Amino acid sequence: MGEKKMDRKTFELRNLVEQYYDIQQNRVQAFNRVVSWIRDNLGWEAVVRMQAMKALWPNYDPNDLPIAEDYPKTLEAIQEKYGVVIPELKNPYAWYAERLIKGKGHVEDIENLVWCAGELAKLEERIEERIRNLVQDFQIYTDYLSKIRGIGPVLAAGLISWIAPISRFKNVSKLRAYAGLTAVHYRLKCEKGHKIIATSPREVCPVRVKKGNKIAECGARIVEVKEVPHPPRRVQGYYTMINFKLKTHFWRVGRCFEYQNPRRSYYRYMYDKIKRYYTVKYSGELSKGHIRMRSIIWTVSMFASHLWEVWRRLEDLPVTEPFPIEKLGHTKFIAMTDEESPLCPKWVCSAAQQKHIEEGLAKARGEL
């Protein structure tokens, strides 16, 4: 998909989003180094000690508070001696690392490593603040994306910056293909030896090569087509006709939908509904992980269709129905938001939908 020239704001937004995820990756790596050092050098006793001090003396200074040699070394012993209840931590070493980075403790041996992790976290927050301010200039965010639970400023900014301008996608199938939102993909090979990953078969090679002083498509005939029954992924030696940054971003959106309340989130409700359908349809055929993956792909594909339709209508561009709805008579799920929006109706959980949700929760708990 050839990209039209971006305007200045979209260009700035894309750069900020890419920098945000680069800094986030470095911050996570620095944080994990702190966690590893704590686990390997301090051990469980230091975590228990800090957790106990937090419970007993919330405003303590870890540099001034002496610790007696007979200090209890287990949560049970501390709770019994001091009569306090200390909750069990899911990830105690990460909890300890977070307190060090926030200045709630001091370990001289890794002072610089803790400082780096803290500075990266602050930089990540500042970049997020810039994204939050800049994305307010896009109506598709203020009137639509910001009204959907699970989509924050950074996720919305990524969608906008990697899709815009929406005019280059004449139908939703092109957007889905560009983002790799398919359950299967194709590996192609042309006469000149180019290997290609695409979401649909091609007759000629789309790889862009240098021809004289110009860059143009190869145009050689495709001589080998292989269908692969799983979503597209990067493979060494292959050219990809997919924007994997956008694909990853849509996957993040799907993960965020999973964490929403199905009574208050339109797309979480749709995710649960299709997941129950796939569970019955593919019982004994697919694993729970494969069913979950297909459910996420279906949900974000539906969301992509809604985003494409709303965005095109917002810019007064023609909108066509997807092939399964127009030609095959499939049910259409209209675009809706979780909060009041001037572009879409607000989704309100009906009595029938509420019953469907309760039955799903009961089945998950083993009550049905």
Side-chain angles (χ1 to χ4, degrees), residues 151-257:
I151 299 182
V154 176
L155 282 179
L159 293 172
I160 293 170
S161 62
W162 280 310
I163 293 176
I166 194 63
S167 58
R168 62 194 176 115
F169 301 104
K170 294 183 179 180
N171 56 62
V172 70
S173 297
K174 293 185 180 296
L175 174 57
R176 287 176 176 172
Y178 181 64
L181 296 178
T182 56
V184 299
H185 71 277
Y186 296 85
R187 295 185 183 180
L188 318 174
K189 186 176 180 180
C190 79
E191 290 178 320
K192 294 185 178 180
H194 294 136
K195 296 179 180 179
I196 307 150
I197 290 178
T199 54
S200 61
R202 307 287 183 96
E203 294 183 357
V204 296
C205 179
V207 174
R208 298 180 67 82
V209 296
K210 188 173 182 180
K211 294 183 177 181
N213 296 326
K214 298 181 179 180
I215 301 295
E217 290 188 355
C218 169
R221 186 170 60 90
I222 297 295
V223 295
E224 184 179 320
V225 179
K226 179 182 178 182
E227 182 178 344
V228 183
H230 60 69
R233 63 189 65 169
R234 292 184 186 275
V235 178
Q236 186 175 3
Y238 281 80
Y239 294 92
T240 58
M241 300 295 106
I242 298 158
N243 186 327
F244 278 95
K245 290 184 178 179
L246 181 58
K247 180 178 183 290
T248 301
H249 216 66
F250 269 118
W251 182 260
R252 292 190 183 106
V253 170
R255 290 291 307 278
C256 287
F257 287 156

Side-chain angles (χ1 to χ4, degrees), residues 232-292:
R233 63 189 65 169
R234 292 184 186 275
V235 178
Q236 186 175 3
Y238 281 80
Y239 294 92
T240 58
M241 300 295 106
I242 298 158
N243 186 327
F244 278 95
K245 290 184 178 179
L246 181 58
K247 180 178 183 290
T248 301
H249 216 66
F250 269 118
W251 182 260
R252 292 190 183 106
V253 170
R255 290 291 307 278
C256 287
F257 287 156
E258 280 189 299
Y259 291 111
Q260 303 308 306
N261 186 329
R263 300 181 183 88
R264 304 177 65 189
S265 170
Y266 179 49
Y267 290 103
R268 170 56 197 272
Y269 169 74
M270 293 177 68
Y271 166 78
D272 286 347
K273 188 173 182 179
I274 195 64
K275 190 175 182 181
R276 290 183 66 184
Y277 169 76
Y278 283 156
T279 300
V280 174
K281 181 178 180 179
Y282 297 110
S283 178
E285 182 180 345
L286 295 179
S287 65
K288 290 183 179 179
H290 281 90
I291 290 174
R292 172 179 171 269

